[in-house]
Amino acid sequence: MTTKIYTTVAIVFISLASFCQEKQQEVLLMGTMHTVPKIVKNSYKPMLRYATKYNPQAIYVENPMAQDSISWEYLKNGWSKGYKKFYYLSDSLKKSFDFNEKTFNRILSKNHKDMTQDDLSYLINSFGYKRDVGNFEFYNYLKTHGIKGSKKPTRNENGDLTYKLAIKLGHKMVFNMDDQQTNKEYHEEWRKCAKEGVRNGNNKISKKLNKKDYNSAIIPAIFRGLGRHTNKRKSLLRLHTMSSFKYVIEDTSGCIEGRRYFHERDARMAKNIATQILRSGNERNIVIVGAAHIIGLEKELKKNYPNLKVKLAYE
């Protein structure tokens, strides 16, 4: 009798453990090259196949979040002409567009192939009204290129990877997760670090790393393996080192402050990602982001969100 009880308890325990393991939420981090040169214009095709096979339930993109007023306060007159244009368009739509939640949800519930041009225009204006730049651009892409996506490579992660992935999988929305609250300060310290590095040898090391990064990518790029190469841990660590100024032999104030801003941005992005994933309950999630951020995001997610399983693409 006792043996049977122990056996039953063991079976229940194993079943519960298997159930919990199956339901564990995970996030796949995929590093991008942003815009690639024309000579390697098809670099995102293998990455799209990989991401499609992973079959994520949610796609997270490197765009500022709609409610992030601090980032938008900077971006409305910041480095990006595209974000600046979008901000003022969004401001205009908030005053002039007659947004209706029921109409928005009704159109969004349709399959992509069933959406009319008027439907797509309404969604574009709605996402602009909501200051949701990721989906504003997604539906602009869908309206321009249709459900098959762009015939020619756009050479950018959004047109060749993110939006094609969303269309293939029938996703109605992508999820913004970027944070640019201190982007201005980071670039100011970057320039300062470079100026300080003229005399102390830091710039020579930076040039060597840049050259090594470029040379190591030549052969993979020729054989359409640039994405896989970029996502190798060795490449990711090099990009992280360069962007966070960890390569320096003399740590000057510009390098120290620049590094702090870079790490803080990664931490805030990780929080944006994890908060949305945990709230959603989705088991498979992909983050498509500039490769220099992958190591930092991995560290922050593993440290602060132990319930999330963190994976790197191609590992």
Side-chain angles (χ1 to χ4, degrees):
M1 184 68 177
T2 304
T3 304
K4 286 184 179 180
I5 292 172
Y6 282 138
T7 303
T8 303
V9 170
I11 291 170
V12 170
F13 178 80
I14 291 168
S15 298
L16 286 172
S18 299
F19 177 80
C20 292
Q21 188 175 18
E22 288 173 4
K23 293 295 180 182
Q24 183 180 18
Q25 291 178 282
E26 68 177 36
V27 54
L28 177 72
L29 305 178
M30 176 174 275
T32 73
M33 301 78 70
H34 292 314
T35 299
V36 298
K38 288 182 180 180
I39 195 169
V40 288
K41 61 186 179 182
N42 291 308
S43 294
Y44 282 111
K45 281 188 176 181
M47 296 177 72
L48 176 60
R49 288 195 294 270
Y50 184 96
T52 303
K53 188 176 180 181
Y54 177 67
N55 191 26
Q57 294 164 290
I59 303 167
Y60 291 84
V61 295
E62 193 177 349
N63 286 124
M65 299 175 73
Q67 300 81 13
D68 186 356
S69 57
I70 299 174
S71 287
W72 283 113
E73 183 61 29
Y74 158 62
L75 289 169
K76 69 181 185 181
N77 290 304
W79 67 275
S80 169
K81 291 181 180 178
Y83 283 151
K84 181 178 179 179
K85 183 179 178 180
F86 173 76
Y87 177 87
Y88 287 104
L89 173 63
S90 177
D91 250 17
S92 175
L93 287 168
K94 286 179 182 293
K95 298 171 185 175
S96 62
F97 181 61
D98 186 18
F99 176 75
N100 183 284
E101 192 75 35
K102 287 184 179 179
T103 304
F104 172 75
N105 289 330
R106 177 180 59 79
I107 296 173
L108 201 60
S109 68
K110 295 183 179 182
N111 291 325
H112 292 142
K113 63 182 178 62
D114 297 324
M115 292 178 181
T116 66
Q117 289 294 297
D118 286 342
D119 287 339
L120 293 171
S121 294
Y122 190 87
L123 290 178
I124 290 166
N125 285 329
S126 295
F127 284 118
Y129 171 87
K130 289 171 173 283
R131 195 159 286 160
D132 185 336
V133 65
N135 287 297
F136 174 83
E137 292 182 350
F138 174 39
Y139 279 94
N140 265 300
Y141 177 89
L142 191 58
K143 186 177 181 181
T144 302
H145 300 292
I147 58 172
K148 291 186 178 180
S150 175
K151 292 180 181 178
K152 295 181 179 179
T154 65
R155 298 169 36 231
N156 181 271
E157 73 254 48
N158 289 332
D160 292 342
L161 175 57
T162 306
Y163 299 153
K164 282 193 174 182
L165 177 64
I167 294 169
K168 273 177 175 285
L169 300 179
H171 288 203
K172 305 300 176 60
M173 292 177 61
V174 295
F175 298 91
N176 305 305
M177 59 78 186
D178 195 10
D179 180 299
Q180 300 210 15
Q181 295 182 8
T182 55
N183 218 26
K184 178 184 177 182
E185 291 81 358
Y186 170 72
H187 283 97
E188 286 174 349
E189 298 301 332
W190 188 344
R191 287 190 288 270
K192 187 177 176 183
C193 181
K195 188 175 181 180
E196 293 163 341
V198 172
R199 296 180 180 178
N200 61 22
N202 287 346
N203 288 2
K204 288 183 179 179
I205 298 173
S206 177
K207 286 179 181 178
K208 285 182 180 179
L209 284 172
N210 271 300
K211 188 175 181 181
K212 189 173 184 179
D213 189 62
Y214 177 83
N215 288 340
S216 67
I218 292 174
I219 293 177
I222 292 171
F223 295 99
R224 291 194 185 182
L226 184 59
R228 179 184 287 272
H229 168 80
T230 300
N231 281 275
K232 283 184 176 180
R233 189 167 289 272
K234 188 176 181 179
S235 300
L236 295 171
L237 283 166
R238 183 163 56 241
L239 290 167
H240 176 78
T241 297
M242 291 160 64
S243 296
S244 59
F245 316 110
K246 287 187 175 180
Y247 58 84
V248 299
I249 51 175
E250 183 179 328
D251 229 353
T252 58
S253 61
C255 305
I256 293 169
E257 286 302 296
R259 185 179 308 121
R260 178 171 70 85
Y261 286 128
F262 187 78
H263 290 330
E264 287 176 354
R265 182 185 175 197
D266 281 347
R268 292 193 298 269
M269 283 199 292
K271 184 179 179 180
N272 291 341
I273 293 164
T275 302
Q276 293 182 84
I277 290 176
L278 293 170
R279 190 194 309 135
S280 72
N282 289 326
E283 293 173 42
R284 296 184 313 283
N285 306 273
I286 189 170
V287 174
I288 298 173
V289 64
H293 294 289
I294 297 293
I295 295 298
L297 289 177
E298 179 190 36
K299 178 183 176 183
E300 293 294 332
L301 288 167
K302 285 184 174 180
K303 179 177 71 174
N304 297 309
Y305 305 95
N307 290 336
L308 280 180
K309 182 179 180 181
V310 183
K311 299 169 65 176
L312 301 194
Y314 300 100
E315 277 196 352

